Amino acid sequence: DQQVKQNSPSLSVQEGRISILNCDYTNSMFDYFLWYKKYPAEGPTFLISISSIKDKNEDGRFTVFLNKSAKHLSLHIVPSQPGDSAVYFCAATLGFKTIFGAGTRLFVKA
Amino acid sequence: EAGVAQSPRYKIIEKRQSVAFWCNPISGHATLYWYQQILGQGPKLLIQFQNNGVVDDSQLPKDRFSAERLKGVDSTLKIQPAKLEDSAVYLCASSLIGGSGRAGGNTIYFGEGSWLTVV
């Protein structure tokens, strides 16, 4: 039962352009949504989150958009940098439980 | 501030053998998590502790996996006997409260992971 889905396993973007990573969910009761970033041989690190009552949250080059009617969220990275190349996990929380998507590998080409 | 510490980083064992992973969470974090991440998949929660009590172990294969968190600090995860499909990265994580996702206190912090290969 995949409640959080990241349908694109990988994404390739040119340095300086926008990266858009997408995530869909099925449970309308999720209260928070998060993005984590993971480099090889390291654990995931928290990047940005958004409450289910908001539709946008911005932190520097990173912006998360939430469309509750479509049960969809996206992470925008502008401008993309080679150091952003990593696996990005979307996650959703319901009370004390956090559920992760399968991840999208982002390649930022110099 | 020291992060979540895990050991060993890498382990190769034969099927039917046993293995144990150790985790030391960030100081002061009440909630400790063990996740299993199989290649190409997202982290899957195995067990979640609040202090030294179990909050959620619904996805822990209890016939072969066990975990404990003595004194509400360090934790160990044991697999006995191991199967080939247990090959994965075992991620320990901690948070201040319980993972409601708010940036700051309830953010989940992960260790670097323990890579298990069962042959």
Side-chain angles (χ1 to χ4, degrees), chain A residues 23-44:
Chain A
C23 178
D24 296 298
Y25 61 95
T26 57
N27 192 335
S28 59
M29 299 301 292
F30 286 135
D31 50 10
Y32 274 88
F33 301 90
L34 311 91
W35 286 92
Y36 282 80
K37 177 179 179 178
K38 184 183 183 304
Y39 291 118
E42 295 183 11

Side-chain angles (χ1 to χ4, degrees), chain A residues 31-34 36 38 40-46 49-50 87 89 93-103, chain B residues 9-10 33 35 37 40-43 45 48 55-56 58 91 98-103 107-108 110-113 115:
Chain A
D31 50 10
Y32 274 88
F33 301 90
L34 311 91
Y36 282 80
K38 184 183 183 304
E42 295 183 11
T45 56
F46 170 77
S49 66
I50 187 168
V87 177
F89 291 102
T93 67
L94 179 59
F96 60 78
K97 185 170 285 192
T98 302
I99 299 170
F100 288 84
Chain B
R9 285 296 312 275
Y10 304 95
Y33 315 77
Y35 284 87
Q37 186 183 4
Q41 300 180 19
L45 180 68
Q48 179 176 341
V55 173
D56 183 357
S58 56
L91 294 161
S100 69
R102 285 180 285 276
T107 303
I108 296 176
F110 286 88
E112 292 184 316
W115 296 66

Side-chain angles (χ1 to χ4, degrees), chain A residues 13 19 25 29 39 57 70 79 107 110:
Chain A
V13 171
S19 296
Y25 61 95
M29 299 301 292
Y39 291 118
N57 187 27
F107 299 95

